[in-house]
Amino acid sequence: MSHERGKKAALPPAQQNIDKLEKVVSEGNYYGAQQMYKSISARYVSAQRYSEAIDILQSGACIQLAHGQVTCGAELALLFVETLRKGKVPYDDETLGRLKKIYEKFPRVPLPQHLNHLGDDDDDMHQISEALRAARIRVEGCSSFLKAAIRWSAEFGANGYESPELHIMLAEYIYSESPEMDMARITHHFLRGNNPKKFASTLVNFMGKCYPGEDDLAIARAVLRYLSSGNMRDANKLIDEIRKQIVSKEVEFPQTELMQFINYLLQTLQRDALPLFNMLRANFKSSIDREPTFNEMLDDIAEKFYGVQRRNPMGMFGDIFKVTTNIFK
């Protein structure tokens, strides 16, 4: 025990190391600083001085990212979250604020606009290749950090729920930085973010720059995902927000059969009208079939709102398996 106390006492206040390491980074020795951040913070963790280890890692992640060292910064950001877990630090507004400070340091670099207008010589192709590679590194680094933070928030939050704020950060970063516009992935995180207004802003922005036919799919996917989880309030709020926000933007709400279906669906679900729900699915089948997952979500919606049991995909064998399982319970 006395040896452990001596070990703790031998470590200086964290700020001394923070100042020293920031100087190493500012001199351009990023790799050397990285190794020192990792080894010095590990000493504080071993001494169970978690709050000081967290201070060092937060400072290191922020300063490396501020200098454009995404790989180094993301690694320290992950160590920051790992130390939160080791120290059993609870999820609260203060720690969320620390995570947000790291998140805000991840670079935002616009991709070259109108890539198809660039020439096809070696210099242009190299420029495109490097820009895409750097963007993927940024998204991968930030995503790994925030996903780890989301898992920590579920483990150490008051109610065992994942942080909606962290999901929104992740959705916004993927949308702004990813060279592959994966709206399904972005939708996944926005729905867990519980902020339809922000989600609507992103969808309106997407409508202004997407290819024809992608805008109504993105809106329909978002609405159906809300509804398939039983959340009709936010599904309606999302549509209302989109209609409000496009007034000040140079975009129009898509006038397609798929959007007609979504409009009718939202009205139908407000009452006990299963026959009308089934009729809508039949009448708008060609529009619904534009994305395979829509039918799966509509099955979930039928179960949530009308109690329609989903068919067992294993058919008769699934039913036999279920009976056999119940017998031997």
Side-chain angles (χ1 to χ4, degrees):
M1 184 67 72
S2 61
H3 174 72
E4 182 65 23
R5 280 199 298 266
K7 188 177 176 184
K8 289 184 181 184
L11 292 170
Q15 191 60 47
Q16 288 185 24
N17 283 309
I18 289 172
D19 293 340
K20 178 177 71 175
L21 291 169
E22 285 186 355
K23 186 179 179 189
V24 176
V25 174
S26 64
E27 291 171 350
N29 186 3
Y30 306 119
Y31 178 78
Q34 184 75 356
Q35 302 313 305
M36 293 169 71
Y37 275 116
K38 290 161 64 177
S39 61
I40 291 173
S41 63
R43 290 179 208 154
Y44 285 86
V45 170
S46 295
Q48 296 183 9
R49 289 167 63 170
Y50 296 109
S51 64
E52 289 172 284
I54 288 166
D55 289 343
I56 292 167
L57 289 167
Q58 179 186 345
S59 172
C62 288
I63 193 168
Q64 290 277 34
L65 290 168
H67 281 77
Q69 302 301 303
V70 176
T71 302
C72 289
E75 183 182 19
L76 294 178
L78 274 172
L79 283 173
F80 175 87
V81 177
E82 185 181 319
T83 307
L84 293 178
R85 297 189 68 180
K86 286 181 178 177
K88 294 181 168 53
V89 177
Y91 173 84
D92 56 23
D93 288 342
E94 180 188 352
T95 313
L96 177 62
R98 284 171 167 259
L99 291 162
K100 189 174 182 181
K101 283 180 181 177
I102 296 173
Y103 163 73
E104 288 172 345
K105 293 295 182 180
F106 274 89
R108 271 80 171 165
V109 182
L111 287 172
Q113 294 297 308
H114 309 298
L115 293 179
N116 57 323
H117 291 166
L118 292 172
D120 57 2
D121 60 37
D122 289 343
D123 286 343
D124 284 344
M125 294 305 294
H126 179 72
Q127 178 189 348
I128 294 169
S129 176
E130 284 299 303
L132 294 176
R133 187 182 72 85
R136 291 189 182 102
I137 290 172
R138 289 196 300 275
V139 172
E140 182 180 344
C142 189
S143 296
S144 297
F145 159 59
L146 287 176
K147 285 177 181 177
I150 288 167
R151 290 192 294 272
W152 159 80
S153 72
E155 187 176 353
F156 293 98
N159 301 311
Y161 294 121
E162 296 177 344
S163 164
E165 292 86 357
L166 292 172
H167 273 293
I168 290 172
M169 291 180 203
L170 182 50
E172 291 183 327
Y173 197 80
I174 294 171
Y175 179 75
S176 68
E177 298 303 309
S178 179
E180 294 86 16
M181 190 57 67
D182 187 350
M183 287 306 294
R185 184 180 172 201
I186 292 162
T187 296
H188 169 85
H189 291 292
F190 264 121
L191 261 65
R192 282 153 180 74
N194 196 25
N195 192 327
K197 189 171 183 177
K198 279 196 172 185
F199 192 9
S201 297
T202 297
L203 286 171
V204 170
N205 181 277
F206 177 70
M207 289 162 61
K209 63 184 183 182
C210 68
Y211 290 110
E214 291 184 338
D215 47 3
D216 62 341
L217 281 175
I219 296 169
R221 185 187 303 115
V223 171
L224 292 174
R225 286 291 300 274
Y226 273 126
L227 293 174
S228 65
S229 63
N231 188 350
M232 188 158 65
R233 181 199 65 187
D234 286 346
N236 279 291
K237 188 180 288 188
L238 180 75
I239 289 290
D240 291 343
E241 278 294 334
I242 291 172
R243 292 187 185 278
K244 283 180 192 174
Q245 293 184 30
I246 61 174
V247 173
S248 60
K249 308 286 184 180
E250 293 183 1
V251 293
E252 293 183 2
F253 196 88
Q255 304 297 320
T256 65
E257 284 194 359
L258 184 59
M259 286 296 94
Q260 288 179 35
F261 168 71
I262 291 297
N263 184 46
Y264 292 145
L265 177 64
L266 288 170
Q267 296 177 49
T268 301
L269 293 178
Q270 294 178 20
R271 47 190 172 155
D272 187 9
L274 178 58
L276 180 55
F277 173 84
N278 290 331
M279 187 181 74
L280 282 174
R281 290 190 70 169
N283 289 348
F284 288 91
K285 184 179 185 304
S286 60
S287 295
I288 295 167
D289 286 346
R290 286 172 59 195
E291 183 160 321
T293 59
F294 285 176
N295 276 299
E296 294 177 26
M297 287 188 274
L298 286 166
D299 286 344
D300 288 335
I301 292 166
E303 185 173 11
K304 287 279 193 313
F305 288 86
Y306 297 118
V308 177
Q309 294 298 310
R310 299 191 62 161
R311 286 188 306 170
N312 191 322
M314 295 177 67
M316 179 181 70
F317 295 104
D319 293 335
I320 293 171
F321 177 77
K322 186 189 295 183
V323 170
T324 306
T325 303
N326 289 335
I327 290 172
F328 290 102
K329 271 186 179 178

